[in-house]
Amino acid sequence: MIFLDAAATTPVRREVLDAMWPYLTGEFGNPSSHHSLGEAAASALADARAAVAGVLGCRPGEVTFTSGGTEADNLAVKGIALARQAVDPRFNRVVISAVEHPAVEESARYLERFHGFAVDVVPVDGTGRVTPEALAAALRPETALASVMYANNEVGTVQPVARLAELARAQGIPFHTDAVQAAGWLPLDVKILGVDALSISGHKLGAPKGSGVLYVRGRTRIEPLVHGGGQERGRRSGTENVAGAVGLATALTLAQSGQQQLADRVSTLRDGFIREVLRAVPGAVLTGHPTERLPSVASFCFPGTSGESVLLELERQGVVCSSGSACAAGSDAPSPVLTAMGFEAEVAQTAVRFSFDSTVSGDDLAAAAKAVGAAVGSIRTLGRA
Ligand code: PLP
């Protein structure tokens, strides 16, 4: 099987499992317990936090462990907007881009439904990019928070986050970015990015599902969503997932250590794959930005097919990929990301995403490109018959 669906999830890396193992077995203490087992767990958690902070270029106290990317996004969007509204009720708007993951978009809609916020949606261009001008036009004195993802999960387009964050912060508006897909592929230094909050998910990086991180800058006010014993400096109550935090920290450190070389190698493979697919499939359309895209994502529309049928045919040929984001898979609705980019619904329904992890090889991609040509060819022939 050639697995080209790494943007959906990745297997846990051996080194990550090894690092986690003690905290799932002998060192099973609760970090809040005042005995040696508890202290060992607290110290592992502190080390994990320091390691994540090292990658992000922030202080350990600015790192909150969560149950994944979805929770990190919810905490950032709802937590920061509600905290600002509590200080001054005039802060009653949030700005998001038109291509956010549902974890951000639905958090904003929740604020709209239950807390009287208005949601301002910033349009994207045909490549999926938010321009600084478009963001500037959406920011208002009442904006409590702006959230624009670092890299898109369906088409891989990378946003000019540093420039966008600078614009928002110049107006005193906290800026959050969902870096779930960017982590491991792009630089994550929060000072260089200039963001106030940033979300990461462990399972896209070789850590287990159900592990995540939210970075929140220094004194940024944030209302917790989960109340209880006050763990994570009161930002996220509940006994900490010590093994998950250790796993995420290990995976993030490993991913960032060779990040630039990996990004260069995989970008070259990706570009070769894109060329091969465009050659093998007449009429295929590359979606997303031609150059400002994740090294790990190649996404296309194959007019005259349906994304789901291409997916099934490819799986029969041993290639596993995705017909859209994992959350949208199985639904017939065209991808809101592609429609926001200006694709007609019938074309958007033909979308297929190929996404790679750090182990991807040129041979696998050459075989996959051939399989794509054969799969789309046979679906189009059958469709005409
Ligand atoms: N944000 C983006 C951009 C994603 O791609 C995903 C997962 O696909 C998430 C958030 C949600 O992360 P998790 O699966 O850890 O909840």
Side-chain angles (χ1 to χ4, degrees):
M1 193 237 278
I2 301 178
F3 180 74
L4 300 183
D5 200 16
T9 197
T10 58
V12 175
R13 289 174 71 153
R14 182 78 235 180
E15 308 91 308
V16 170
L17 196 55
D18 288 346
M20 293 172 65
W21 185 249
Y23 305 101
L24 295 165
T25 53
E27 303 279 356
F28 61 88
N30 182 328
S32 300
S33 297
H34 296 281
H35 48 60
S36 57
L37 264 180
E39 278 156 17
S43 144
L45 193 62
D47 290 349
R49 202 183 304 282
V52 172
V55 172
L56 300 183
C58 67
R59 291 197 302 276
E62 296 173 314
V63 171
T64 300
F65 287 109
T66 68
S67 67
T70 298
E71 189 191 329
D73 285 344
N74 271 259
L75 181 55
V77 174
K78 297 177 189 169
I80 295 174
L82 289 174
R84 284 201 94 200
Q85 191 191 47
V87 170
D88 185 343
R90 278 174 302 181
F91 290 119
N92 63 0
R93 307 187 80 90
V94 288
V95 168
I96 60 172
S97 86
V99 293
E100 293 304 309
H101 187 274
V104 165
E105 149 133 74
E106 289 303 319
S107 294
R109 296 295 167 199
Y110 163 84
L111 292 173
E112 181 180 56
R113 275 199 302 278
F114 295 107
H115 294 277
F117 280 80
V119 180
D120 297 307
V121 179
V122 188
V124 293
D125 65 17
T127 70
R129 292 259 281 186
V130 173
T131 63
E133 296 72 32
L135 179 67
L139 299 175
R140 312 245 193 114
E142 312 82 66
T143 305
L145 170 82
S147 180
V148 179
M149 70 201 320
Y150 196 169
N152 184 262
N153 46 304
E154 292 186 40
V155 296
T157 296
V158 176
Q159 301 293 348
V161 169
R163 179 78 192 97
L164 301 177
E166 190 187 347
L167 269 175
R169 297 191 70 228
Q171 300 187 32
I173 299 168
F175 186 93
H176 164 252
T177 194
D178 173 340
V180 167
Q181 293 293 340
W185 298 105
L186 302 175
L188 289 179
D189 188 307
V190 291
K191 294 210 180 65
I192 294 174
L193 290 171
V195 297
D196 298 288
L198 176 143
S199 310
I200 294 176
S201 169
H203 73 104
K204 314 287 182 179
L205 287 168
K209 293 163 188 62
S211 59
V213 152
L214 179 67
Y215 155 78
V216 184
R217 182 193 294 269
R219 293 186 197 283
T220 310
R221 287 174 191 271
I222 184 159
E223 191 56 36
L225 305 183
V226 181
H227 302 92
Q231 288 90 343
E232 297 293 288
R233 298 175 134 215
R235 288 185 166 169
R236 202 266 182 186
S237 286
T239 302
E240 302 89 336
N241 175 1
V242 179
V246 168
L248 189 147
T250 308
L252 192 61
T253 310
L254 286 169
Q256 285 304 116
S257 64
Q259 182 251 312
Q260 192 55 53
Q261 294 93 307
L262 176 69
D264 291 346
R265 182 180 81 81
V266 177
S267 295
T268 306
L269 293 177
R270 174 205 63 196
D271 290 342
F273 178 70
I274 290 173
R275 273 196 305 277
E276 283 303 304
V277 169
L278 292 177
R279 210 163 51 82
V281 182
V285 180
L286 176 70
T287 57
H289 197 281
T291 53
E292 295 301 317
R293 62 185 305 133
L294 283 173
S296 50
V297 173
S299 52
F300 303 89
C301 285
F302 298 122
T305 68
S306 83
E308 285 294 324
S309 61
V310 175
L311 193 73
L312 289 176
E313 184 53 35
L314 278 174
E315 185 158 14
R316 275 223 294 272
Q317 300 190 32
V319 177
V320 175
C321 57
S322 163
S323 63
S325 69
C327 308
S331 95
D332 271 350
S335 143
V337 170
L338 291 173
T339 47
M341 288 164 59
F343 285 84
E344 297 293 336
E346 338 53 288
V347 178
Q349 260 156 345
T350 71
V352 179
R353 175 190 73 187
F354 303 91
S355 52
F356 323 133
D357 69 11
S358 57
T359 65
V360 67
S361 76
D363 287 349
D364 279 355
L365 290 187
K370 242 169 109 180
V372 174
V376 174
S378 79
I379 290 163
R380 284 178 173 164
T381 308
L382 289 173
R384 275 201 297 272

